């Protein structure tokens, strides 16, 4: 077929991918091709605009290395990551909601002992104690679950963005006890701008959007027999809760960190008063 | 807005990009976001599939350097480049049709003299003479037009893919004379596979598609006052004309290279008999 209309061309391309052996991949490719072609036809994309897009995506890929994932950041900023999380979540009522993983997760972070702080530098203020239980959908204790957390330091940067921080600062995983209880120690998180020195920063500038995420702690909770939970704990007092640049806030994930001025309580937890405290359970759904 | 449905989320994302100052960019972003979100909802994209896609696009960007453009190759293989060419072409009846530029164009290739060969190695066979005129839409001569061509060598590789070839082998631009005439010397092109050692090669393999392009010579023709033409000259005898992996064939661009066994004609053109000959005009549209 050589003299094609626009609609013909899309049909020819779909037909050419019809031999894809894996049926799910075939569906993904067909649906993606139909939507991308519809986009091109609808906006009458020019060759200059196409080339700008090609170069933008190329630079986005090239910005990635073992410490930076600009392609995830792009997906996050177009609301795609939040939507994928929404369509694929499907957790039962009563279990903890998930949200996006974001570009700053690092595998193989170190284990922290019961109540050990993930803050690896001196001069902690705004210390935060998080204690609670990992539970299953029937309220049963999940023994020995892994609770991994990561967050920025007070300057709004993750360890992998900031050479002045020790490796694995504010990053690590804890093992829950047999009764599902855990005790984490960190600092109260802060709102921060996503990295704006790459293609995604250009996009934000061109679209006159602010780059801020509301203060949050990332958490990934897993245990055999349960579905892995990737979520955030958001600070209820943050000014960006309604305009998160990556669209990841869910009401059920907003937490109030309680201020505690008791020197006695501080001594009990091994922190300085005043400190912040959160009682929080993670409720997992069963793996199917 | 924190407790969103899938449709809510898309509206929130669109609203957040509504402040984009440039109206064309706003339209492009809004339309792209609507289609990408529709894709995610329609296929119920899983987080694992999303991550596979993120990694695929990241590797595609990282495969690019000054000699390789895998992101263009991806666009070509999804039929997007051909569709962009189609929707943005809009040339008047009677002018030469355009087609995709592809990933192998190199700016600043050297000028070739009247009748000089772009083949920079010894041992030419299948020599090809192309002569004709660059014309405007009313059939007027376009004096001094630039005709740039690029193609693979007999092994199916472009100079930038193949270290054994001299730099700029089978690549260069000619200046048409005042009467629009030109004389190019090259070799008859061959069909070839696109590079399959990167992410696009994986895609072809997963979708059980062959990687071949029908034999062609790329041409880019430009002159002040006229719209730049990016096109191909396809070989009418090629077996892949109906299954070009990048969907770029147009009937009007198929040419028959005439075999010429005359020693006298060969001497006249400065080639060895037998050689191949093509009489071809490029008809440009006016720049608007």
């Amino acid at each position: 077929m050589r003299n094609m209309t626009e609609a013909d061309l899309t049909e020819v391309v779909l037909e050419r991918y019809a031999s894809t052996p894996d049926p799910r991949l075939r569906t993904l490719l067909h649906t993606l091709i139909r939507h991308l072609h519809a986009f091109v036809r609808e906006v009458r994309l020019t060759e200059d605009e196409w080339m700008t897009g090609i170069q933008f995506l190329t630079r986005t890929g090239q910005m990635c290395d073992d410490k930076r994932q600009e392609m995830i950041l792009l997906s996050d900023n177009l609301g795609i990551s939040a939507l994928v999380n929404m369509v694929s979540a499907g957790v039962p009522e009563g279990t903890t909601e998930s949200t996006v993983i974001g570009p700053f997760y690092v595998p193989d972070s170190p284990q922290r002992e019961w109540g050990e702080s993930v803050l690896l530098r001196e001069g902690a203020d705004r210390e935060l104690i998080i204690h609670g239980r990992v539970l299953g959908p029937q309220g049963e204790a999940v023994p020995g679950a892994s609770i991994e957390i990561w967050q920025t330091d007070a300057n709004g940067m993750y360890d992998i963005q900031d050479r002045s921080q020790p490796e694995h600062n504010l990053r690590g995983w804890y093992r829950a006890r047999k009764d599902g209880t855990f005790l984490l120690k960190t600092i109260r998180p802060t709102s921060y701008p996503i990295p704006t020195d790459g293609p995604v920063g250009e996009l934000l500038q061109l679209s006159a959007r602010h780059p801020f995420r509301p203060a949050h702690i990332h958490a990934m909770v897993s245990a055999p027999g349960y579905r892995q939970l990737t979520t955030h704990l958001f600070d209820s007092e943050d000014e960006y809760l309604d305009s998160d640049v990556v669209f990841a806030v869910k009401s059920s994930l907003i937490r109030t960190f309680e201020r505690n001025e008791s020197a006695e309580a501080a001594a009990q937890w091994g922190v300085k008063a005043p400190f912040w405290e959160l009682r929080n359970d993670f409720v997992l759904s069963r793996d199917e």
Side-chain angles (χ1 to χ4, degrees), chain A:
Chain A
M1 203 165 184
R2 297 176 193 172
N3 279 338
M4 294 184 275
T5 65
E6 294 169 16
D8 285 343
L9 175 59
T10 301
E11 288 307 311
V12 167
V13 177
L14 293 174
E15 204 277 318
R16 212 72 72 74
Y17 281 93
S19 51
T20 305
D22 181 81
R24 175 64 179 168
L25 180 61
R26 187 166 63 238
T27 298
L28 293 177
L29 288 169
H30 271 181
T31 312
L32 185 63
I33 288 166
R34 275 198 288 100
H35 281 292
L36 290 177
H37 281 219
F39 161 70
V40 169
R41 286 195 303 266
E42 200 169 321
V43 299
R44 314 307 295 169
L45 198 68
T46 70
E47 288 182 325
D48 285 349
E49 289 166 346
W50 169 81
M51 185 55 95
T52 301
I54 290 285
Q55 289 166 347
F56 182 87
L57 283 173
T58 301
R59 285 186 293 122
T60 301
Q62 289 177 335
M63 196 90 195
C64 299
D65 57 30
D66 60 335
K67 297 195 168 172
R68 179 149 180 176
Q69 228 308 348
E70 191 83 357
M71 201 65 80
I72 290 184
L73 203 63
L74 177 60
S75 167
D76 291 355
N77 275 272
L78 295 174
I80 293 169
S81 312
L83 184 62
V84 170
N85 169 255
M86 203 176 260
V87 304
S88 65
V91 290
E93 184 87 16
T95 60
T96 304
E97 285 197 283
S98 61
T99 190
V100 304
I101 187 168
F104 297 110
Y105 176 71
V106 173
D108 304 318
S109 74
Q111 183 173 4
R112 308 296 178 197
E113 297 306 316
W114 179 269
E116 184 187 355
S117 182
V118 286
L119 183 75
L120 302 183
R121 61 167 173 80
E122 300 299 306
D125 58 358
R126 303 187 6 134
E127 281 180 298
L128 171 64
I129 295 295
I130 307 176
H131 52 95
R133 297 175 77 195
V134 179
L135 302 171
Q138 269 74 49
E140 75 277 20
V142 177
S146 154
I147 304 115
E148 184 166 357
I149 61 172
W150 65 103
Q151 69 181 81
T152 65
D153 205 337
N155 66 359
M157 300 225 270
Y158 290 88
D159 60 339
I160 55 174
Q161 296 177 279
D162 178 8
R163 290 186 179 194
S164 76
Q165 292 180 38
E167 190 184 8
H168 297 132
N169 187 39
L170 291 160
R171 192 183 288 281
W173 66 276
Y174 297 79
R175 179 79 73 194
R177 288 181 173 166
K178 284 185 180 164
D179 61 355
T181 56
F182 58 82
L183 176 63
L184 324 180
K185 195 186 293 178
T186 182
I187 56 172
R188 187 171 167 185
T190 182
S191 53
Y192 64 86
I194 60 169
T196 54
D197 58 339
V200 173
E202 292 169 34
L203 175 64
L204 287 176
Q205 195 157 40
L206 287 170
S207 53
R209 298 185 60 206
H210 82 243
F212 281 90
R213 297 216 59 205
H216 60 277
I217 299 169
H218 291 269
M220 189 183 284
V221 186
S222 48
Y226 293 88
R227 183 164 170 185
Q228 179 172 284
L229 169 67
T230 302
T231 192
H232 289 19
L233 300 171
F234 289 99
D235 186 333
S236 64
E237 293 179 8
D238 196 276
E239 64 182 305
Y240 296 109
L241 283 172
D242 284 313
S243 65
D244 181 2
V245 68
V246 306
F247 310 98
V249 178
K250 295 179 180 179
S251 301
S252 72
L253 303 179
I254 298 172
R255 296 286 180 275
T256 298
F257 303 119
E258 303 286 349
R259 184 180 167 94
N260 192 328
E261 301 193 353
S262 154
E264 194 182 347
Q268 180 202 332
W269 297 119
V271 295
K272 292 191 311 274
F275 66 99
W276 305 86
E277 189 176 351
L278 173 65
R279 172 85 183 74
N280 181 80
D281 292 338
F282 294 106
V283 187
L284 304 184
S285 58
R286 290 259 174 210
D287 206 3
E288 281 149 37

